[in-house]
Structures are given as structure tokens and as C-alpha cells.
Amino acid sequence: MNKIKIFHILSKFILKALNLLFVGNPLRTSLGVVVGLFIHSVITIFTPGINLLLKDYIDISQISEFKCIFIGLVIVYFPTIISFLGDPKKELLDESLEKVFRLIEFAEQKGGITKTQIRALCIKLCEKAVEQINFNEAIKKELEQLNQLETETEKQTD
């Protein structure tokens, strides 16, 4: 693999990870931070005992808050990490919506559906997918504006 392709794959993974952490599931991220800080507190309280047990293996003084927060995030997101490693191409879209998108693609390949029908079906599916997501008020207003623009352009093309 060339360096550009590796960089592209790595950057795509990092963007998905950041999206998952901060947008996709902020509650789980917050819980991971709390778990990490709890781990750091336990380590700090029991440092003398841990040093006696593990002095040959690990230096407890080298474990910072950020490392513990990272450990907490890994613990909380462990099922997601395992599912991603098992199937990295798996999207976070509902399976039924994925099936319908695949059916539309199949119908397009067979030529049994027009471009306008494909576009209308895809727009309806996207609307259904968006309905399943909870947005804050600012994003809801932007989506409403986009929907209005879409209907205006459809009226102009008809």
C-alpha cells in the first residue's frame, strides 16, 4: 500500500472515532471520562500498595490522568471497538435502511427505475434516517431550511 492510501484510511478512521466520541454518543464519552478519573483516583489512593505488588512490572507514577481517561474510554467503548474490528466496513446505519438503499441500487442497475424515482426514494430514506436521530434546536432549524430549499428546487424543476 502506498503512503497516501494508508494516510487516507488512518484519517478516515480518526474522523469516525472523533464523530463517535463527541457527536454520536456524548453520554458514553462522559461516562468513559468519569470511569477514567475514578481509576486514577483509586490508583492515587492505593499507590503504596500497588507499588509493593507491581514494582517490578510497572511504575505507577507514570500513569497520568489522561492515560486513565483513555483507559476509561476504552472500557466504555469496548463493545463498539470489538464490533468495528470484526467488521470495519459496517456502518452505524439501521440495517433496514441499508437493505432499502441496496434494493434501490439493485433496481437502478437493472434499469427498472428512473433517476427521478431513485432521487425521490433516496430523499425519503434520508428523511427517515434523520428522523431517528435526535438533534439540538440549531441543527433542527438548519435541516428545516434545507428541506425548504429542496422543495423549492423540486418545484422549479417540475
Side-chain angles (χ1 to χ4, degrees):
M1 292 173 103
N2 64 29
K3 292 179 182 180
I4 295 174
K5 190 167 186 171
I6 292 171
F7 178 75
H8 176 71
I9 292 170
L10 184 62
S11 64
K12 196 173 178 182
F13 174 75
I14 290 171
L15 286 175
K16 279 188 176 184
L18 288 174
N19 186 27
L20 179 70
L21 284 175
F22 297 113
V23 178
N25 207 334
L27 184 63
R28 189 182 281 190
T29 302
S30 305
L31 183 62
V33 170
V34 170
V35 167
L37 291 175
F38 175 76
I39 291 170
H40 185 263
S41 299
V42 169
I43 288 173
T44 305
I45 292 171
F46 297 108
T47 298
I50 295 171
N51 278 336
L52 286 174
L53 292 172
L54 302 175
K55 66 181 175 183
D56 295 334
Y57 304 106
I58 190 169
D59 183 14
I60 296 299
S61 63
Q62 296 296 319
I63 300 177
S64 67
E65 293 92 0
F66 294 109
K67 291 176 185 173
C68 288
I69 289 172
F70 177 75
I71 291 168
L73 287 170
V74 168
I75 290 169
V76 172
Y77 278 99
F78 190 73
T80 307
I81 293 168
I82 294 299
S83 70
F84 179 77
L85 292 175
D87 187 8
K89 293 183 180 180
K90 182 180 178 186
E91 294 295 325
L92 298 176
L93 192 62
D94 185 20
E95 287 183 25
S96 60
L97 291 175
E98 285 183 17
K99 287 179 184 176
V100 175
F101 274 117
R102 278 189 251 128
L103 284 172
I104 292 172
E105 289 174 3
F106 179 74
E108 181 181 17
Q109 290 171 355
K110 293 295 180 184
I113 191 168
T114 66
K115 294 282 184 187
T116 333
Q117 291 171 328
I118 293 170
R119 186 169 182 242
L121 286 171
C122 288
I123 289 171
K124 286 180 183 177
L125 278 174
C126 289
E127 287 172 354
K128 289 286 185 188
V130 168
E131 286 174 3
Q132 294 176 358
I133 301 171
N134 294 326
F135 293 110
N136 63 24
E137 292 302 316
I139 294 176
K140 283 181 183 177
K141 288 179 184 177
E142 288 182 30
L143 286 172
E144 288 173 6
Q145 290 174 351
L146 287 173
N147 285 336
Q148 289 174 352
L149 287 173
E150 181 69 32
T151 55
E152 289 175 9
T153 54
E154 285 178 2
K155 288 179 184 177
Q156 291 174 356
T157 56
D158 290 341

